[in-house]
Amino acid sequence: MNRYTLALVALLALGGCGGGGDAEPQPTPSPQPTDPVRFTQIAPAPQDQPTHVASEAIEYELGHLPVRGIAPFPSVFLTPIHGAIRFPQASLPKSGRVNDRFPIVLLLHGNHEVTDPSYRGYDYLAQNLAEHGYVAVSIDANAINASTDDPFDPSNFGDTSSVSRGQLILGTLDQLRKIDRSGGPGWMSALKDKLDFERIGVMGHSRGGQGLTNAFKFNLQRESVTPIELKNQLANRPDTFARYPELLAAVVSPGVVDNELFVKALETEEVTFSPSANTVRPYNFRGGLLLAPTDFYGTVGLANIPLAVVLPSCDGDVFNMQGARTYDNNRYSFDYDTAADIQVLVRGANHNYYNTEWRRDDTNPPYLPHDSYCDAQRDQTPHMSPEDQRRGGLFLINGFMRHFVGGESAFGSYWDGLAQLPRAACPEGEWPCDARIALTIQKDATSRLSIHRFQYADSMGRNDLGGAVSLSGFDAAALCEMPYGNSESEGACMPARLPGFETKALAAGGLRSISEHIQLSWSSPKASMSTKLDGASAKAFDTLSFRVAVVRPFGQEIEVSLTDASGKSASVRASRFSDALYSGPKAPRSGSPLIPDIADLPFGNGEPVQLMNMVAIPLSAFPGVDMNRLQELRLDLPAQSGKIALADVQFQKLGR
């Protein structure tokens, strides 16, 4: 029998299985006032207490925008400013909401079949937002996904840079600003003086996520196409404008465009140019959520806008988890950055099911197949149905927007790691389901104190506070730097990357986080890392946090101890406050080291993608320890053997 079969037999002998399932959890004794708990409340469901009647989903046509791509995509081309919009039509009785100005949420899909109306796939999000007082705009980017009408044309792979998507986001807002000022026919009249451009959020899915980050950059320094550039493109590549007969008619001979006909065609085809750099006031983006995003070129420099990167663990499209790079590259950003950065790993979710028009299960061919952990054709996997996946997606996406964009404080506790998922966010019949979603939070510079970022050549011997570091009981350790560059770049490790920590180039699985970190492996229990704090004070903070990836086996335990300058010490098991130490979608059975849930064992031989996720322990879990004068932090690993990656050891202020 293999080790998983043996473990299965042992669990059956213990009697039953723990975690998850359809049954309601059994009541547990109320904690004493001094006994810290992981969750202080249950987050609200976005479906609760609608305040408005939502409009129907209205298709809008607001002209055509010249945008720029990156070769081999056409360097300049036109995209319709088209999509679907929902908005609050009237306040519900007793809602307490006044129809003043409504926050704006833009939804942007990525690269998909041009024959599918991908922009319609987020209507479940748009309707819910409109019912709670938001204008939701789902942008059609199909013209960016294809340069010709032929879906089988090899050039139809879209603008991988998503530069054009960033321009389309801003161009859509420009048109909405005109509607807010002047109104217009039909639905436009209802939005005159109703749009709040001080509260804007964007959700970008797949390449739409990369477009979102471009929009945030271009918001400060516009990337625009001039009429002369468009005219030159028309002269040199008239095939780019096959859908625009009036423009083609302006080409009077090869390479020659009649200026008068060109100007007339711009009016007939309703071409609207984006404002040039520094001629328009930037928009006030309050939040960006990147859903299974691409990041082909290594986005850096994002600051002062709350960002959440949502990563489906069974993504068969962006299988190399490029969004993890976006998070890692920007989590520290600049000292003047006032915004939080968040990473969300959703266990069992795939790439497509967040969009109702993307019906193909990307965990199966023709996309790259996953191993047994995510194989949807097997019964025993964490794989979710489309409906269950969207239940979680509605909570994450709309809850993020309603907190960071709309300022609804009821959702804030979840994004500080203090609230449990509501039943409405869980797969049907599965509650609690907090093990499904691993939340990592990086607060701004004023709300954190780094203990160990592992960014220096001597970081295996000295921490960020200057204290000594000692490793005991490990067979091997490696210090790995963070690479900057494209999605294939990999950081160097000293003395060398350890076996088992490889990033697979053309397959799912592997360690996908790229932040500076230390790799550790051991083959006897009680390996440990001790780091001296030399009297540092954590009084301004409420949480000790670190990020960890469990590479092998399926789960680990970390016993965390803090000791003050007088020698007073307290310890706590990290699993008490986190699911980051366990790779399954259900909570593990109790015990130290962790005992896997019986339902997770059949796919334990698979290789789920590995990300470094947050463990967050309230400082109140260390009773009697003087947080004004701390002497040592110690991490003990009680399992017989294992491999972990460790990063971002710090004190944070999460709002406890």
Side-chain angles (χ1 to χ4, degrees), residues 92-106:
L92 291 173
K94 300 181 181 179
S95 69
R97 296 287 291 273
V98 178
N99 283 342
D100 189 10
R101 287 187 175 270
F102 303 121
I104 304 166
V105 176
L106 304 178

Side-chain angles (χ1 to χ4, degrees), residues 436-489:
R436 281 274 179 189
I437 297 179
L439 185 67
T440 298
I441 303 163
Q442 181 76 358
K443 288 291 190 177
D444 65 272
T446 64
S447 300
R448 65 177 188 255
L449 174 65
S450 178
I451 300 171
H452 222 333
R453 185 174 162 182
F454 303 105
Q455 62 180 321
Y456 302 114
D458 63 349
S459 286
M460 281 203 283
R462 187 169 68 112
N463 63 33
D464 295 347
L465 303 175
V469 176
S470 60
L471 303 173
S472 175
F474 294 104
D475 299 327
L479 181 68
C480 299
E481 66 181 15
M482 183 169 73
Y484 290 94
N486 64 35
S487 59
E488 300 303 321
S489 59

